[in-house]
């Protein structure tokens, strides 16, 4: 049994094997592996005794449950109105320039993925972004370069 | 209702200390259930998530439902652009929310509660679990059996719609259900369920603490009590403010504007844009006068000054809706796409300016035919922006 299978078995034991536990289980996998692979979806389907297509149906609905392989750090930059007004595009350019990737892409070393997202709920401190679960607000291109610099020095 | 000459009144009830939650809880649990419901009804508290359904009625209906198992859900899937008050409540006064949930459970006969927390607020999860742990221990002490769990969302705006939220909790795509049946009859797992916004629950706490009269004395007719406003955009003092309901937009802009406010978006992307010329006649509350439609107040107030292009604003909103539409009903799925494509076509000159009228008709159609509040309210911002700033859409 590989690590994904063990993880899914543990999660199913922890949350239960009902349909209503599907989302917490998928979230648990994403928390560990940063995305939900086809393999993991099939394993969850087996564990919960339901069609794998239903697992995919649920997983693909939610924007935070990526089913493409993601980097270790997923950067989500808010693009909704308040952040847009306060210069989210400049933040985006600073990130793209620093990591040498475009929106939706992952760095070749698999460390960072850059995404845009809808309102994060920090409109009074715009622009804002998430790196995994951590929130950064009142961004400026300079500040973003500082933050990313720290993350680039960090080991996984 | 005549327009009042009403000054802005700041209030401090919601974030006021929560140290007395144990007293409030044990005191209220000794009251009769009908008594609690009646005081909620007489307070005229309406849901603070945006829809404004009378909270006392919701509790009453659920308490009358004949089922063994019932649920209480606190809706913390705060996704409306420009709204960020619920996060602050859950950070500062979580025990008030939990106490209100427990009292709701007592009144309705539920024994399990859930907080549906949006994925973007995952950082709150730990402190919230600590608060829940402490709370549950106290409940055990006083012999009241009620468990609360956190259910995490995963970045879907539509899950703030109560039936979509329950679909999501049941492990499915967050697609809204048909109503009726309403959640008060058949909600989570088909059982009677109360779904209340975070802020609504805190207001019930205020009512349990000070009585219905004090709450009812605040605000104006049809819009009683206070409201948390999330204020952002072109303002020198963005943030969260608790204000009495019923002020006019001109008073509001006087206080929060930067002196050059050309329009205010009330109620987030699904709300209405009010241009400067209508500030004086527009009231904030459940019975606004704007084009005969009541002004929804989830609490999002976004100010725009004259440096902003309303085309960009509308473009941003439609982009948001096009992505967040769940896609199950055609009016909303296709409508959002076509509105977005349409305004770009007009802007580029690929379509004549009168094409905007067609788009307005489409947005009106969506209001009648879309399945849930998302599709139905796209027309709010679309029509109010296009009608008031038509030239900015074209040139």
């Amino acid at each position: 049994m590989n690590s994904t299978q063990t993880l899914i078995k543990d999660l199913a034991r922890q949350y239960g094997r009902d349909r209503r536990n599907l989302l917490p289980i998928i979230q648990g996998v994403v928390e560990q592996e940063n995305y939900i692979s086809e393999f993991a979806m099939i394993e969850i389907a087996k564990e919960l005794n339901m069609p794998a297509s239903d697992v995919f149906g649920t997983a693909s609905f939610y924007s935070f449950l990526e089913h493409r392989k993601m980097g270790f750090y997923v950067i989500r930059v808010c693009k909704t109105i308040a952040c847009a007004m306060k210069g989210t595009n400049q933040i985006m350019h600073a990130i793209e320039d620093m990591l040498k990737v475009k929106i939706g892409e992952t760095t070749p070393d698999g460390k960072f993925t850059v995404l845009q997202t809808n309102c994060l709920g920090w409109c009074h401190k715009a622009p804002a972004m998430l790196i995994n679960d951590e929130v950064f607000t009142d961004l400026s291109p300079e500040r973003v370069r500082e933050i990313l610099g720290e993350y680039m020095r960090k080991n996984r | 209702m005549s327009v009042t000459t009403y000054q802005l009144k700041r209030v401090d009830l919601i974030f006021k200390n929560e140290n007395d939650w144990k007293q409030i809880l044990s005191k209220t649990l000794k009251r009769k259930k009908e008594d609690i419901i009646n005081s909620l009804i007489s307070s005229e508290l309406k849901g603070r998530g945006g829809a404004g359904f009378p909270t006392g009625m919701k509790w009453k209906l659920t308490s009358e439902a004949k089922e063994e198992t019932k649920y209480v859900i606190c809706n913390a899937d705060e996704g409306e652009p420009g709204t960020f008050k619920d996060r602050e409540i859950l950070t500062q006064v979580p025990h008030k929310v939990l106490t209100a949930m427990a009292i709701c459970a007592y009144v309705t006969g539920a024994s399990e509660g859930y907080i549906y927390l949006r994925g973007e607020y995952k950082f709150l999860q730990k402190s919230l679990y600590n608060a829940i742990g402490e709370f549950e221990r106290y409940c055990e002490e006083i012999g009241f059996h009620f468990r609360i769990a956190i259910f995490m969302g995963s970045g879907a705006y539509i899950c703030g719609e109560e039936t979509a939220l329950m679909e999501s909790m049941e492990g499915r795509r967050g697609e809204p259900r048909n109503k009726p049946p309403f959640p008060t009859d058949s909600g989570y797992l088909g059982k009677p369920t109360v779904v209340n916004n975070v802020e609504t629950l805190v207001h019930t706490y205020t009512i349990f603490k000070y009585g219905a009269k004090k709450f009812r004395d605040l605000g104006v007719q049809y819009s009683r009590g206070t409201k948390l406003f999330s204020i952002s955009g072109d303002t020198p003092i963005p943030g969260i403010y608790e204000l009495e309901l019923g002020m006019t937009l001109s008073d509001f802009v006087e206080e929060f504007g930067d002196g050059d406010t050309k329009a205010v978006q009330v109620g987030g992307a699904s709300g209405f844009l009010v241009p400067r010329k209508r500030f004086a006649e527009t009231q904030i509350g459940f019975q606004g006068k704007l084009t005969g439609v009541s002004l929804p107040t989830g609490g999002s107030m976004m100010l725009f000054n004259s440096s902003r292009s309303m085309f960009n604003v509308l473009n941003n909103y439609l982009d948001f809706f096009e992505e967040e539409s769940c896609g199950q009903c055609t009016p909303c799925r296709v409508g959002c796409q076509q509105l977005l494509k349409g305004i770009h076509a007009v802007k580029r000159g690929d379509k004549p300016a009168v094409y905007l009228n067609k788009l307005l008709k489409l947005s009106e159609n969506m209001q009648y035919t879309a399945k849930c509040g998302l599709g139905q309210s796209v027309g709010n911002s679309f029509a109010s922006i296009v009608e008031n700033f038509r030239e900015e859409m074209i040139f």
Side-chain angles (χ1 to χ4, degrees):
Chain A
M1 223 166 33
N2 72 19
S3 64
T4 306
Q5 284 169 315
T6 322
L7 172 67
I8 288 167
K9 281 228 178 319
D10 286 347
L11 286 167
R13 206 172 301 128
Q14 186 190 338
Y15 290 110
R17 289 181 168 78
D18 287 330
R19 173 81 191 234
R20 64 177 161 147
N21 307 117
L22 177 59
L23 211 48
I25 293 173
I26 300 176
Q27 286 164 344
V29 174
V30 172
E31 200 171 313
Q32 288 299 314
E33 307 190 340
N34 273 355
Y35 80 114
I36 174 112
S37 60
E38 213 169 276
F39 176 78
M41 288 191 226
I42 293 168
E43 285 304 312
I44 293 174
K46 282 187 203 158
E47 202 60 45
L48 269 59
N49 197 18
M50 60 189 279
S53 56
D54 276 4
V55 179
F56 177 75
T58 299
S60 59
F61 185 83
Y62 298 90
S63 63
F64 277 30
L65 305 175
E66 294 288 346
H67 45 94
R68 299 171 301 144
K69 193 165 168 50
M70 289 283 118
F72 187 75
Y73 295 114
V74 181
I75 304 172
R76 290 188 167 90
V77 185
C78 178
K79 61 168 180 170
T80 308
I81 184 74
C83 290
M85 285 161 68
K86 306 279 169 179
T88 190
N89 281 353
Q90 294 155 45
I91 306 300
M92 212 63 227
H93 292 320
I95 297 173
E96 288 178 336
D97 185 52
M98 204 162 169
L99 299 177
K100 308 286 180 241
V101 288
K102 294 258 173 261
I103 298 168
E105 293 177 350
T106 303
T107 51
D109 61 358
K111 197 166 174 182
F112 295 98
T113 301
V114 184
L115 301 173
Q116 280 187 317
T117 186
N118 283 324
C119 194
L120 292 174
W122 292 93
C123 314
H124 57 324
K125 294 180 177 176
M129 68 173 180
L130 281 177
I131 299 183
N132 290 350
D133 296 329
E134 207 176 337
V135 186
F136 298 92
T137 58
D138 289 312
L139 297 174
S140 62
E142 295 74 35
R143 178 131 162 69
V144 162
R145 278 191 281 270
E146 263 170 48
I147 295 165
L148 280 190
E150 270 169 47
Y151 271 88
M152 286 165 101
R153 280 190 293 277
K154 255 193 219 177
N155 289 322
R156 289 177 198 189
Chain B
M1 192 166 60
S2 69
V3 177
T4 48
T5 48
Y6 180 89
Q7 291 296 306
L8 222 55
K9 285 185 200 147
R10 293 202 192 184
V11 195
D12 180 24
L13 288 170
I14 287 183
F15 294 122
K16 217 161 149 182
N17 82 60
E18 56 164 5
N19 299 335
D20 52 1
W21 63 270
K22 286 183 182 173
Q23 286 144 264
I24 303 288
L25 181 64
S26 44
K27 188 182 84 183
T28 314
L29 290 182
K30 286 191 192 97
R31 287 170 64 183
K32 273 206 199 108
K33 295 176 183 180
E34 298 77 38
D35 184 37
I36 298 176
I37 290 175
N38 286 338
S39 86
L40 272 188
I41 291 176
S42 70
S43 75
E44 294 182 31
L45 169 64
K46 291 177 183 172
R48 294 298 199 246
F53 189 83
T55 308
M57 280 308 291
K58 202 181 257 186
W59 289 26
K60 187 172 186 213
L61 290 170
T62 310
S63 73
E64 284 165 355
K66 285 178 183 52
E67 280 268 8
E68 276 290 289
T69 322
K70 295 177 188 177
Y71 297 100
V72 176
I73 297 175
C74 166
N75 185 347
D77 191 59
E78 178 180 55
E80 190 65 49
T83 317
F84 38 85
K85 63 190 172 70
D86 293 344
R87 183 198 63 228
E88 209 56 27
I89 293 175
L90 291 173
T91 311
Q92 293 193 26
V93 287
H95 290 95
K96 284 193 182 181
V97 179
L98 302 177
T99 305
M101 284 177 76
I103 293 168
C104 179
Y106 164 68
V107 168
T108 56
S111 58
E112 269 179 70
Y114 291 92
I115 298 176
Y116 190 99
L117 186 66
R118 71 188 297 221
E120 289 86 338
Y121 292 168
K122 182 129 194 272
F123 63 94
L124 274 175
Q125 201 183 13
K126 206 171 153 225
S127 65
L128 212 45
Y129 262 126
N130 289 340
I132 290 173
E134 191 191 351
F135 184 79
E136 284 183 341
R137 273 195 300 282
Y138 182 69
C139 283
E140 287 296 311
E141 254 174 58
I142 59 169
F144 181 69
H145 301 288
F146 182 55
R147 310 290 293 174
I148 299 175
I150 299 174
F151 195 97
M152 291 303 301
S154 270
Y157 167 73
I158 188 62
C159 289
E161 202 279 342
E162 55 183 6
T163 58
L165 181 149
M166 291 180 300
E167 285 289 299
S168 170
M169 284 181 64
E170 291 175 17
R172 289 194 282 271
R173 298 167 70 83
E175 293 173 350
R177 300 173 183 168
N178 280 321
K179 288 186 197 174
F182 291 97
T184 47
D185 291 323
S186 170
Y188 179 48
L189 302 173
K191 305 293 181 198
T193 308
V194 174
V195 185
N196 275 148
N197 174 262
V198 178
E199 189 191 341
T200 312
L201 288 168
V202 179
H203 282 300
T204 67
Y205 185 95
T206 308
I207 293 165
F208 300 140
K209 185 169 172 178
Y210 298 105
K213 188 176 179 308
K214 174 155 178 174
F215 184 86
R216 203 180 171 285
D217 285 345
L218 298 165
V220 294
Q221 200 184 7
Y222 305 122
S223 305
R224 298 292 178 189
T226 66
K227 174 92 193 74
L228 274 188
F229 289 95
S230 315
I231 299 167
S232 63
D234 293 315
T235 163
I237 42 170
I240 297 156
Y241 298 87
E242 186 175 0
L243 304 171
E244 247 183 83
L245 280 171
M247 75 272 194
T248 64
L249 257 189
S250 27
D251 286 336
F252 176 84
V253 170
E254 181 105 348
E255 178 95 359
F256 294 101
D258 61 356
D260 185 26
T261 308
K262 89 166 172 187
V264 179
Q265 178 82 13
V266 182
S270 62
F272 293 88
L273 184 96
V274 185
R276 188 187 286 146
K277 61 175 188 255
R278 306 185 83 166
F279 284 171
E281 64 189 60
T282 307
Q283 254 182 321
I284 305 303
F286 293 100
Q287 288 258 326
K289 292 193 72 188
L290 191 87
T291 61
V293 186
S294 67
L295 222 61
T297 49
S300 163
M301 304 290 278
M302 203 170 284
L303 295 91
F304 302 107
N305 67 20
S306 58
S307 73
R308 306 295 174 188
S309 152
M310 285 301 134
F311 176 84
N312 289 344
V313 173
L314 182 58
N315 179 32
N316 193 290
Y317 288 161
L318 290 176
D319 192 52
F320 174 83
F321 284 128
E322 192 230 8
E323 259 176 46
E324 297 294 348
S325 167
C326 80
Q328 73 169 320
C329 79
T330 316
C332 176
R333 183 185 63 246
V334 180
C336 290
Q337 293 167 359
Q338 290 305 317
L339 290 177
L340 184 61
K341 278 172 89 170
I343 61 162
H344 280 274
V346 171
K347 192 80 181 177
R348 282 196 309 267
D350 293 349
K351 292 275 183 199
V354 288
Y355 187 65
L356 286 174
N357 298 348
K358 253 190 173 168
L359 295 177
L360 280 170
K361 209 168 235 172
L362 170 62
S363 78
E364 197 190 335
N365 264 334
M366 288 168 69
Q367 235 159 53
Y368 298 122
T369 53
K371 185 170 175 179
C372 79
L374 191 156
Q376 288 161 10
S377 58
V378 172
N380 296 349
S381 53
F382 186 84
S384 57
I385 293 177
V386 170
E387 276 162 8
N388 288 304
F389 293 94
R390 199 180 171 93
E391 69 288 355
E392 289 189 32
M393 301 301 123
I394 302 165
F395 303 109

